[in-house]
Amino acid sequence: MTLSLEWIGMLAGFLTTFAFVPQVIRVYRTRSTHDISLPMYSIFVTGVGLWLYYGWLIGSRPIVLFNAITFVLAGAVLVMKLRFR
């Protein structure tokens, strides 16, 4: 992969991954998950886990790095959704 393509992947991964940070902070502070869909987050976390595995299989640093972080962030929201019911 060319360096410029990898940087595009890194920027895209950064932006889409860190979009979850405000949601994680809000849920943690308010302990409110009423408006969060359990099925959506369950499916999403599973999909991100599969993207992470795919990225590892093909050796793509941007896919592995940002899907690992997204998995943790979205997984945290999912865990809080289950815990704060």
Side-chain angles (χ1 to χ4, degrees), residues 10-20 66:
M10 294 292 254
L11 180 58
F14 178 83
L15 294 172
T16 58
T17 294
F18 287 96
F20 280 91
F66 290 110

Side-chain angles (χ1 to χ4, degrees), residues 22-33 36 76-77 80-81 84:
Q23 183 72 63
V24 172
I25 292 169
R26 183 167 189 265
V27 170
Y28 181 76
R29 284 184 180 162
T30 65
R31 305 288 197 260
S32 175
T33 60
I36 293 175
V77 173
M80 288 187 282
K81 173 67 176 175
F84 300 149

Side-chain angles (χ1 to χ4, degrees), residues 63-85:
I63 292 175
V64 170
L65 174 64
F66 290 110
N67 279 289
I69 296 168
T70 301
F71 186 82
V72 170
L73 292 171
V77 173
L78 180 60
V79 167
M80 288 187 282
K81 173 67 176 175
L82 294 170
R83 186 170 177 213
F84 300 149
R85 283 186 186 201

Side-chain angles (χ1 to χ4, degrees), residues 27-75:
V27 170
Y28 181 76
R29 284 184 180 162
T30 65
R31 305 288 197 260
S32 175
T33 60
H34 177 73
D35 292 331
I36 293 175
S37 168
L38 180 59
M40 180 271 183
Y41 264 86
S42 298
I43 294 166
F44 184 75
V45 169
T46 302
V48 168
L50 290 170
W51 272 115
L52 174 60
Y53 182 56
Y54 172 75
W56 180 74
L57 289 174
I58 67 168
S60 173
R61 283 184 284 178
I63 292 175
V64 170
L65 174 64
F66 290 110
N67 279 289
I69 296 168
T70 301
F71 186 82
V72 170
L73 292 171

